[in-house]
Amino acid sequence: MQAFNTLGFDCTLEELDLEDITKNQINTIKACTSEDSGTGNCPVLERSTFNTSKCLQGIYEDLKAYRAELKNFSDQNVLTTIDEMMKALRNSSTSVLQPSSNTGSTFKDRMRLCSVLHAFRIRTVTINRMMNYLTSLESSL
């Protein structure tokens, strides 16, 4: 939340059109839900067809995409946290920390950052829920 307070304006969801920067690639939502969601808005998670590896890969790809998007704008704590999550998902990750350069200083850049940060915050809720679901699968075996 600290990143929201350093943009120089009130960065609220009401002022934004959120952009899904992962919509054209594998991501948590595509990888962790059923291809055939059936009727209604809530995709069904069938234990027999659920692919844990694919889901974890989708989560990793989300983190990688958001890290790349935020690397020039966010403080080092955000990037370090994303790196730690990626490392936990893939022990062989060779991610190298890049220092933050904060090059996006125009108002348009800061508005985009605000949008990306809110989208990422929402995606982390989805990731957290999927990780809890995966944990519950493991504990019930």
Side-chain angles (χ1 to χ4, degrees), residues 19-32 35 54 57-69 86 112 123:
E19 174 187 353
D20 182 3
I21 64 168
T22 65
K23 68 181 172 189
N24 295 324
Q25 61 196 43
I26 185 172
N27 63 42
T28 304
I29 297 167
K30 290 177 187 173
C32 299
E35 294 289 327
K54 182 180 172 187
Q57 181 64 33
I59 292 170
Y60 182 86
E61 293 299 324
D62 265 352
L63 293 172
K64 187 168 86 172
Y66 277 101
R67 189 196 192 292
E69 189 71 26
M86 290 172 67
R112 174 147 170 69
R123 184 59 54 93

Side-chain angles (χ1 to χ4, degrees), residues 16-140:
L16 301 170
D17 291 324
L18 296 182
E19 174 187 353
D20 182 3
I21 64 168
T22 65
K23 68 181 172 189
N24 295 324
Q25 61 196 43
I26 185 172
N27 63 42
T28 304
I29 297 167
K30 290 177 187 173
C32 299
T33 57
S34 172
E35 294 289 327
D36 178 28
S37 61
T39 59
N41 295 329
C42 190
V44 177
L45 295 177
E46 297 282 338
R47 186 178 252 175
S48 62
T49 60
F50 186 77
N51 186 332
T52 301
S53 309
K54 182 180 172 187
C55 183
L56 290 172
Q57 181 64 33
I59 292 170
Y60 182 86
E61 293 299 324
D62 265 352
L63 293 172
K64 187 168 86 172
Y66 277 101
R67 189 196 192 292
E69 189 71 26
L70 296 171
K71 74 178 179 184
N72 292 324
F73 300 105
S74 289
D75 67 14
Q76 194 59 42
N77 291 333
V78 172
L79 299 176
T80 300
T81 302
I82 294 172
D83 284 335
E84 288 172 4
M85 290 187 295
M86 290 172 67
K87 187 175 180 182
L89 286 169
R90 180 164 290 163
N91 288 333
S92 62
S93 175
T94 57
S95 177
V96 177
L97 293 175
Q98 302 281 332
S100 177
S101 62
N102 292 324
T103 58
S105 59
T106 68
F107 182 74
K108 185 178 177 181
D109 289 340
R110 289 181 286 144
M111 281 296 288
R112 174 147 170 69
L113 174 60
C114 177
S115 175
V116 170
L117 285 169
H118 276 293
F120 183 55
R121 183 178 57 84
I122 292 167
R123 184 59 54 93
T124 59
V125 171
T126 303
I127 290 170
N128 184 46
R129 289 178 179 166
M130 285 313 305
M131 295 303 289
N132 287 334
Y133 176 74
L134 292 171
T135 301
S136 74
L137 285 178
E138 286 181 17
S139 65
S140 66

